[in-house]
Amino acid sequence: MKNTKYIFVTGGVTSSLGKGIISASLAKLFQGRGFSVTIQKLDPYINVDPGTLNPYEHGECFVTEDGAETDLDLGHYERFSNEPTSQANNVTAGRIYQYVINKEREGGYLGTTVQVIPHITDEIKRRIKLLGQNGSYDFVITEIGGTVGDIESFPFIEAIRQMRWEMGKNCAVIHLTLVPYLSAAGELKTKPTQHSVKTMLEQGVQPDIIVCRTEHHLNDGIRSKIAQFCNVDVSAVIESIDAASIYEVPLHMLEERLDIEVLRKTSTPIPEKIDISSWEQFLQRLHNPLHQVTVALVGKYADLKDAYKSINEAFIHAGVANECKVSIRYVHSDQLDHGKLADVLSDVDGVLVAPGFGERGIEGKIAAIEFVRTKKIPFLGICLGMQCAVIEFARNVLQLKDAHSTEMNPRTPFPVIDIIQTQKGIKNLGGTMRLGAYPCKLDPDSKVFSLYRETMISERHRHRYEFNNEYKKAFQKAGMNLAGIYPNENLVEVIELDDHPWFIGVQYHPEYKSTVANPHPLFVGFVKAMLDNKTGKS
Ligand code: GLN
């Protein structure tokens, strides 16, 4: 049984400073020193989970093994630590309030006035401690979303204050701020950091460590100024300089001794050695690619990289596995018509059609797929991308005019993608899709099998619609191999084309499972196929 320590990561001055990356980097360093660690994100918004948010709000929705729709930072946690997360790792204010209000309705607080303090804060603390409960982690790192001073983050900061008071040295607080550079003055400015720490102090929390996001190195003068005004040791002022790649941040944090500082603050004996050699090798390969390919990512959020975060990162992992830099060309599916296809796609080495919901951009996706199918360009379709490949094949190969998914056209004469029975009666949209890990059986004669080298795989899902089995025979006869099936419900999970060098569509989301330590076989295979296509090897 471990004496679990709790580390909190808060943010000040602005959002988007990279608390998630700092948390994931610290976890990586702890792992390198032999500690077990998990990371949790508490989001102060009222949505019960981010599943109902559009990607413009918070970027991609990341799905865990147990089917939780979570914040995209959980993707970073998994990619860095190579440890799966779960519903318990992402809790929103909405989920906390929902729980407390339901309990009140059930009579769980009979006789008492239910209040933010203690009832909401107690529930927040319970959710934090839940992860450390069975003693399997040395450290639980809890990142608090948003910025200190926001009205909605008050109960979370109060919960930290209480936990700290209860647990003393078993807790530490890291506060991430921005140290802006004023080019006119030629100076880094510490005032916003001072104010941000003051805001925390007003709420009763003195940060132990201040991580300063900056575009320029902090000199000794700046470090001591921050230390002096924010009541921390100079060694606890940590520089987080802009990095060319997020994967460099653990090494920056190692250099700045963030892990050592946290170990000291929590009175944890400091292991002498750290082993992060495989991470260093990854970076070495990342920075010295031997090859380069360009992939077009066709999606309706092409102006928003965060909407496809896990896909971008999966390409980085798979690129490193192939010693290849993968450049991504984002292509707006709703601006893609037949006239523009050749201009946009003829010089790429492969095309990925992205997941998504709704009608917008769908015809552009289908047109792009016709282009890559007929021109024999490597193709990977994910979820809606796979469904579009089915629709394209139905329309252009099977000659089923106006074939469609019933999501886009409920009256299509040929519903090749349709909603399954178990999804039909569903009225509530939150958390009711086919979500999380499901098994899939691969055809041993398929391309996907040669990539996974396993018959039974497990992949994560997030969708309502499925391949319509009534059309199975027609597709197979015309050369589409239904190469992966979810056996329990006989649902098609993977499609591939017999007479194409590399054309694969998957109903699941492989990108969620790709990590630095374990690049995903489908992405590794796709990058290799693009390289082969480029060098004319296929
Ligand atoms: N909109 C499709 C469905 O619900 C695909 C979802 C997705 O791409 N994640 O089935």
Side-chain angles (χ1 to χ4, degrees), residues 64-221:
T64 57
E65 288 285 297
D66 63 346
E69 295 178 283
T70 70
D71 184 80
L72 100 176
D73 273 324
L74 271 78
H76 292 310
Y77 306 163
E78 291 201 6
R79 288 187 282 272
F80 277 54
S81 70
N82 201 37
E83 291 272 341
T85 54
S86 69
Q87 179 65 73
N89 295 74
N90 189 202
V91 182
T92 68
R95 188 171 293 274
I96 303 268
Y97 276 87
Q98 187 186 50
Y99 179 87
V100 170
I101 291 168
N102 286 345
K103 190 166 162 188
E104 186 276 332
R105 291 291 78 187
E106 287 161 10
Y109 304 104
L110 276 188
T112 35
T113 310
V114 180
Q115 294 179 294
V116 173
I117 305 170
H119 301 100
I120 295 295
T121 46
D122 279 354
E123 182 54 20
I124 295 173
K125 289 194 294 181
R126 189 181 73 80
R127 301 276 182 158
I128 296 168
K129 289 178 193 163
L130 211 58
L131 284 171
Q133 201 162 268
N134 56 10
S136 46
Y137 295 112
D138 295 303
F139 289 95
V140 173
I141 301 176
T142 299
E143 175 192 347
I144 312 290
T147 309
V148 292
D150 295 347
I151 287 179
E152 53 189 18
S153 69
F154 267 66
F156 292 91
I157 306 294
E158 169 61 15
I160 296 179
R161 188 195 66 75
Q162 292 182 18
M163 272 190 72
R164 216 205 196 159
W165 181 74
E166 288 163 23
M167 295 185 162
K169 285 278 188 190
N170 281 341
C171 276
V173 178
I174 301 172
H175 188 53
L176 176 62
T177 72
L178 176 71
V179 177
Y181 179 76
L182 290 194
S183 47
E187 271 180 41
L188 287 167
K189 291 294 184 189
T190 66
K191 198 68 88 187
T193 298
Q194 296 177 37
H195 281 296
S196 173
V197 170
K198 215 168 151 199
T199 306
M200 287 199 70
L201 285 170
E202 280 166 11
Q203 294 174 42
V205 177
Q206 163 68 55
D208 297 291
I209 296 169
I210 306 211
V211 177
C212 305
R213 181 72 190 268
T214 176
E215 289 172 10
H216 297 269
H217 288 293
L218 306 181
N219 61 31
D220 288 348

Side-chain angles (χ1 to χ4, degrees), residues 355-357 383-384 387 407 462-465 509:
F357 295 84
C383 208
L384 181 62
Q387 297 176 356
E407 179 184 4
R462 183 176 188 245
H463 59 104
R464 283 186 210 285
Y465 294 80
H509 290 261

Side-chain angles (χ1 to χ4, degrees), residues 63 353-359 362 365 382-387 405 407-408 417-419 423 433-434 461-466 506-509 511-512:
V63 179
V353 175
F357 295 84
E359 166 84 71
I362 203 87
K365 289 182 174 175
I382 298 182
C383 208
L384 181 62
M386 171 268 201
Q387 297 176 356
S405 160
E407 179 184 4
M408 324 300 164
I417 302 291
D418 199 4
I419 199 151
Q423 281 284 335
M433 283 187 258
R434 180 147 89 100
H461 291 250
R462 183 176 188 245
H463 59 104
R464 283 186 210 285
Y465 294 80
E466 308 278 352
V506 289
Q507 184 58 81
Y508 51 79
H509 290 261
E511 71 275 22
Y512 293 141

Side-chain angles (χ1 to χ4, degrees), residues 51-68:
T52 53
L53 292 174
N54 94 36
Y56 285 108
E57 300 282 323
H58 289 268
E60 160 189 285
C61 173
F62 184 80
V63 179
T64 57
E65 288 285 297
D66 63 346

Side-chain angles (χ1 to χ4, degrees), residues 229-251:
F229 283 100
C230 302
N231 321 310
V232 296
D233 301 329
V234 179
S235 59
V237 178
I238 307 286
E239 170 189 288
S240 170
I241 196 136
D242 287 1
S245 156
I246 54 170
Y247 297 108
E248 282 173 22
V249 179
L251 296 187

